[in-house]
């Protein structure tokens, strides 16, 4: 979440919280892929909700939803957006050097506004020494939420299955230092189904941390075979050394933290930290987790 250029909505389906009775559930990130999926599922269930967004005019038009401006780094906007809300679905802010500070500011404002329960989208294996550098931010966010006194539920997602095709270069090659490590890539629809279940009865999930994964753990060689079948072109995986990975990405001119995040996406797979397969998706949703092939096929429609 970053700054907003306008606090006034031009969306006929959106209004400010003061003009309607305030729902007890708020969803952040509804203009994004995951938050949008969660918001749509809650609307389908008949759950009224506040959509906390930087640009209310970009919020999805959903029955029972009211869009309000809220910026993670803007305490006043969050206090106003969350007034009267009891449960919040919190997606992580955009990747930046300030993301952890933004998360802490949002959590503190949620406490001040009277929120009771925070459902936070974290990362599989979040920890202070996690190989994937951004997973460390998730760990520290979790710790801040725990210390805040809020009731909480953590949804610890493995790498998104939708992200796997983006690893493929223009030449059809996935390059990175993942070795023969494995990851249990998870579909965003499965995450959204799980989140909707938790948000519908948050009291049943207080203090829980759910590892959300796909149904199988794959090497990048195996993922490349699946992508070849689904994309209709040859995809291969070519391992790099860590030194080669940094060198091949240095030309993009990104800051060091971003370069570390890119490379550690692969080294986290190599370490085995993302290889576990959980049954949380079927337990929460009542259906099996979606295989990578099905996620890719659906995304291409």
């Amino acid at each position: 979440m970053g700054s907003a250029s306008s606090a006034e909505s031009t969306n006929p389906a959106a209004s400010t919280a003061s003009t309607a009775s305030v729902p007890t559930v708020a969803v952040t990130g509804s203009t994004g892929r995951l938050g949008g999926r969660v918001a749509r599922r809650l609307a389908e269930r008949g759950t009224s909700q506040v959509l906390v967004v930087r640009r209310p005019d970009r919020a999805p038009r959903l029955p029972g939803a009211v869009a309000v401006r809220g910026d993670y780094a803007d305490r006043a906007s969050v206090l106003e957006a969350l007034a009267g809300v009891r449960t919040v679905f919190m997606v992580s802010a955009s990747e930046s050097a300030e993301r952890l500070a933004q998360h802490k500011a949002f959590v503190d404002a949620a406490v001040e506004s009277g929120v009771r329960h925070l459902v936070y989208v974290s990362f599989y294996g979040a920890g202070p020494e996690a190989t994937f550098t951004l997973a460390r931010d998730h760990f520290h966010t979790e710790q801040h939420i725990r210390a805040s006194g809020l009731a909480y539920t953590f949804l610890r997602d493995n790498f998104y299955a939708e992200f796997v095709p983006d690893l493929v270069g223009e030449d059809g090659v996935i390059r990175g230092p993942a070795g023969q490590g494995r990851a249990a890539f998870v579909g965003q629809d499965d995450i959204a189904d799980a989140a909707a279940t938790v948000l519908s009865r948050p009291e049943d999930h207080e203090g829980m941390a759910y590892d959300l994964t796909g149904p199988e753990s794959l090497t990048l060689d195996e993922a490349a075979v699946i992508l070849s079948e689904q994309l209709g072109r040859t995809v291969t995986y070519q391992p790099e050394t860590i030194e080669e990975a940094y060198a091949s990405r240095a030309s993009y001119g990104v800051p060091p933290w971003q370069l570390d995040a890119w490379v550690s996406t692969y080294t986290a797979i190599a370490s085995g930290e993302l290889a576990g397969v959980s049954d949380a998706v079927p337990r929460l949703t009542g259906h099996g987790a979606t295989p990578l092939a099905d996620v890719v096929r659906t995304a291409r429609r």
Side-chain angles (χ1 to χ4, degrees):
M1 307 280 286
S3 62
S5 59
S6 172
E8 185 175 350
S9 170
T10 58
N11 182 341
S15 61
T16 61
S18 62
T19 61
S21 121
V22 180
T24 60
V25 177
V27 172
T28 69
S30 64
T31 57
R33 295 179 181 178
L34 180 58
R37 283 173 163 88
V38 172
R40 288 192 293 273
R41 281 159 174 76
L42 292 179
E44 290 166 359
R45 290 174 177 236
T47 302
S48 59
Q49 57 189 312
V50 173
L51 305 180
V52 182
V53 290
R54 291 174 297 176
R55 289 279 305 275
D57 57 295
R58 295 182 57 199
R61 303 181 180 189
L62 299 171
V66 52
V68 300
R69 180 184 177 274
D71 183 321
Y72 279 15
D74 181 348
R75 172 179 164 276
S77 72
V78 175
L79 288 175
E80 183 174 357
L82 299 184
V85 169
R86 291 178 56 81
T87 304
V88 175
F89 177 72
M90 177 186 174
V91 300
S92 56
S94 300
E95 295 176 7
S96 73
E98 294 76 39
R99 181 162 74 158
L100 180 56
Q102 292 176 5
H103 285 181
K104 289 181 176 181
F106 180 81
V107 171
D108 292 345
V111 172
E112 188 175 347
S113 69
V115 168
R116 183 181 181 281
H117 193 129
L118 197 62
V119 179
Y120 174 63
V121 181
S122 185
F123 189 76
Y124 186 96
E129 304 297 331
T131 300
F132 182 46
T133 55
L134 299 184
R136 303 171 195 172
D137 288 349
H138 287 292
F139 167 78
H140 291 297
T141 301
E142 286 188 5
Q143 292 298 95
H144 193 73
I145 293 169
R146 291 178 192 273
S148 73
L150 289 169
Y152 62 84
T153 307
F154 301 141
L155 304 179
R156 294 177 177 157
D157 309 336
N158 207 296
F159 283 131
Y160 295 155
E162 290 83 355
F163 165 69
V164 181
D166 295 337
L167 300 177
V168 183
E170 292 183 1
D171 60 356
V173 179
I174 300 173
R175 292 181 175 85
Q180 290 303 304
R182 295 177 176 273
F185 305 107
V186 62
Q188 291 177 338
D189 282 326
D190 289 346
I191 299 168
D193 288 344
T197 296
V198 171
L199 292 166
S200 295
R201 293 186 58 87
E203 65 277 4
D204 292 347
H205 306 276
E206 287 188 15
M208 301 298 292
Y210 295 109
D211 290 334
L212 302 184
T213 75
E216 56 190 345
S217 192
L218 301 168
T219 67
L220 291 188
D221 277 318
E222 292 168 341
V225 171
I226 292 170
L227 292 180
S228 297
E229 295 170 347
Q230 298 303 321
L231 300 178
R233 63 190 179 103
T234 300
V235 176
T236 60
Y237 165 56
Q238 180 179 313
E240 290 180 310
T241 66
I242 294 175
E243 293 74 21
E244 288 171 338
Y246 274 98
S248 66
R249 292 157 176 79
S251 63
Y252 290 98
V254 299
W257 70 264
Q258 182 70 75
L259 197 56
D260 290 339
W262 285 352
V263 175
S264 66
T265 298
Y266 297 91
T267 55
I269 295 174
S271 72
E273 294 172 24
L274 302 175
V277 174
S278 164
D279 68 348
V281 166
R283 282 193 291 117
L284 289 170
T285 68
H287 63 72
T290 309
L292 175 62
D294 292 349
V295 172
V296 176
R297 185 183 310 117
T298 299
R300 294 189 68 210
R301 292 176 184 167

